[in-house]
Amino acid sequence: MNIHEYQAKEIFRKYEIPTLQGVLIDKNTDYSSACNSLGGDLWVVKAQVHAGGRGKGGGIVVCKSQDEVSSACDKLLGSRLITPQTEKEGVLVRKIYLEEGCEISNELYLGLVLDRESEKFVFMISTEGGVEIEEVAKDTPDKILKLYIESDGTIDLKEAERISIKLGLTENQISVMIKLMQSLSKMAYDLDCSLVEINPLVVTKSNDIIALDAKVNFDDSALFRHPDVFELRDSSEDNPLEVRAISAGLNYIKLDGEIGCMVNGAGLAMATMDIIKLHGGEPANFLDVGGGATPDQISEGFRVILSDPEVKAIFVNIFGGIMRCDFVAEGIISAAQDVDLTIPLIVRLSGTNSELGRDLLNQSGLQLTAVSDMDEGARVAISSLEGSE
């Protein structure tokens, strides 16, 4: 789960991670009052959207007067911000975070991610702050320093000091940097974060170290432990189909292809998408209905797939272990009866009550193609697209 920058910084402050002061504003806010509440003569207008690369898209504007603040806010609020990480239509800007400015002496990058190979969190730290860390990793990997976090959430203080020295920090700054990393690692463990990123982490001309940006993602599977974190979800930033699927208890992610997939089990879902791509097709979604889905959930999942206008064929690939294939058939039939199904439907049912499921589908009057394995299903789905062009 993603949250906005202003929300992430509220959490940072709880863990005593240094940030600048800011206020959240919308079209009903008096911009002058907001500027006066922060004081100073330099402000930064920041679009609050769940997308990186805001600066490249014009979503971060440095302002030297209140008139510039008003102009930037009026221009951004209600507009669609297009960045390298958004779809071509961009994302709607509903909120602005107005932050006080500062004089920057140096920019660093600090990210906390999960290293799945070592099964540990690791800090990735670089002097190349403010730029794409992926480019740094590709072109100058020696500029990325790593500090692994122990299983109890602590860090090696001597190693943290060594890295801070390599970053060129002064003695006083080194102690601040070490405390900051300790606080971030504790936050990540306390809240089950999957990513914490500060880009840039700045050294100001007054020698302070400040988190100028804040990106925090949380492990969806652990949100049940953190209801206060779950309340931070801004569903308006999520894909509407994904929100609809979540409300039905389904695991759905929209992709860019044309073949809709309904599968039970994350592993089988991944394998189904892989085999579609292997044969030259593109999956339109990841949809894992799980092992205990009801006919109603299956029906809603089918409707979610059909709500995507890019979907030109549907491949249902179910292996019935806990999942009953007749439940799947009932859900498909119910959804198909509510909509005008005009695209090819390819179905593979295997396992518990698979014969009963196939009988229900055959007797439903639906136009579908039954297949015996997922390789055949992928091939048929792809060939059906050629016939529909």
Side-chain angles (χ1 to χ4, degrees):
M1 186 187 86
N2 300 335
I3 60 174
H4 290 293
E5 174 192 358
Y6 77 91
Q7 296 169 317
K9 286 184 173 176
E10 288 175 1
I11 296 175
F12 276 13
R13 286 188 276 272
K14 291 179 182 178
Y15 283 85
E16 299 182 348
I17 298 165
T19 66
L20 296 171
Q21 293 302 308
V23 292
L24 188 67
I25 61 179
D26 57 28
K27 285 190 173 181
N28 296 319
T29 302
D30 184 309
Y31 304 145
S32 294
S33 297
C35 291
N36 291 334
S37 70
L38 296 176
D41 55 6
L42 184 67
W43 303 271
V44 184
V45 171
K46 297 183 174 183
Q48 296 300 285
V49 295
H50 288 176
R54 292 175 298 165
K56 293 182 179 180
I60 297 179
V61 184
V62 178
C63 303
K64 297 181 179 180
S65 71
Q66 294 190 9
D67 286 342
E68 289 183 6
V69 169
S70 297
S71 177
C73 290
D74 286 339
K75 181 178 179 180
L76 281 172
L77 284 169
S79 71
R80 301 198 71 87
L81 182 66
I82 301 173
T83 82
Q85 296 186 22
T86 66
E87 300 292 338
K88 59 183 179 181
E89 65 273 13
V91 289
L92 181 64
V93 179
R94 298 179 176 87
K95 302 173 184 176
I96 294 286
Y97 189 53
L98 180 66
E99 193 170 64
E100 61 181 331
C102 69
E103 294 187 353
I104 300 171
S105 175
N106 190 22
E107 296 187 354
L108 306 173
Y109 171 88
L110 179 64
L112 181 60
V113 298
L114 180 62
D115 180 358
R116 299 190 183 279
E117 184 174 337
S118 65
E119 298 183 350
K120 290 182 177 181
F121 275 114
V122 59
F123 277 112
M124 297 177 62
I125 312 162
S126 176
T127 55
E128 303 299 303
V131 299
E132 298 290 343
I133 194 64
E134 294 84 1
E135 296 177 7
V136 178
K138 178 182 177 182
D139 300 332
T140 53
D142 57 300
K143 292 186 176 181
I144 296 180
L145 307 174
K146 294 183 179 180
L147 175 63
Y148 285 88
I149 300 175
E150 300 304 321
S151 57
D152 61 357
T154 60
I155 61 175
D156 184 323
L157 298 182
K158 288 187 177 180
E159 183 65 9
E161 182 180 12
R162 184 189 70 82
I163 288 175
S164 298
I165 292 172
K166 290 193 71 173
L167 293 171
L169 300 178
T170 65
E171 184 175 348
N172 289 337
Q173 292 167 349
I174 287 172
S175 61
V176 174
M177 185 69 169
I178 292 174
K179 181 181 178 182
L180 185 148
M181 288 191 286
Q182 288 178 307
S183 298
L184 280 177
S185 60
K186 177 174 173 53
M187 185 190 89
Y189 273 79
D190 286 351
L191 303 180
D192 290 301
C193 299
S194 57
L195 169 73
V196 181
E197 186 178 62
I198 304 174
N199 189 23
L201 176 70
V202 300
V203 179
T204 69
K205 290 188 177 180
S206 57
N207 291 319
D208 295 318
I209 295 179
I210 295 173
L212 204 61
D213 193 17
K215 180 177 181 180
V216 179
N217 295 352
F218 300 93
D219 184 348
D220 288 342
S221 301
L223 287 175
F224 71 94
R225 291 200 289 251
H226 310 288
D228 53 334
V229 171
F230 184 76
E231 289 179 0
L232 300 177
R233 180 189 291 274
D234 183 353
S235 58
S236 67
E237 291 288 320
D238 297 331
N239 182 284
L241 295 181
E242 293 178 9
V243 174
R244 180 176 173 181
I246 289 172
S247 66
L250 302 171
N251 296 313
Y252 172 91
I253 300 173
K254 183 179 172 358
L255 302 174
D256 296 329
E258 297 179 313
I259 300 176
C261 303
M262 176 182 287
V263 192
N264 66 317
L268 184 58
M270 295 295 290
T272 301
M273 294 190 297
D274 285 345
I275 204 163
I276 288 173
K277 291 183 70 70
L278 177 66
H279 292 304
E282 291 292 338
N285 64 269
F286 170 98
L287 175 56
D288 170 19
V289 298
T294 65
D296 286 343
Q297 286 177 302
I298 297 292
S299 180
E300 179 63 6
F302 202 76
R303 292 188 184 93
V304 167
I305 293 175
L306 288 170
S307 296
D308 181 356
E310 301 301 318
V311 171
K312 302 297 187 295
I314 298 177
F315 179 23
V316 177
N317 185 21
I318 299 294
F319 179 79
I322 300 173
M323 169 67 67
R324 288 172 45 180
C325 293
D326 56 317
F327 275 14
V328 176
E330 289 176 14
I332 293 173
I333 293 168
S334 174
Q337 288 174 342
D338 291 343
V339 299
D340 183 15
L341 184 62
T342 59
I343 61 176
L345 173 61
I346 298 90
V347 180
R348 178 242 182 178
L349 298 178
S350 178
T352 305
N353 289 358
S354 57
E355 291 187 7
L356 176 57
R358 285 192 289 268
D359 288 343
L360 288 171
L361 289 172
N362 290 334
Q363 296 167 12
S364 68
L366 293 177
Q367 297 297 313
L368 60 87
T369 301
V371 296
S372 58
D373 60 59
M374 65 180 182
D375 186 85
E376 179 188 4
R379 292 177 183 273
V380 171
I382 293 169
S383 63
S384 72
L385 296 181
E386 297 171 356
S388 63
E389 292 178 353

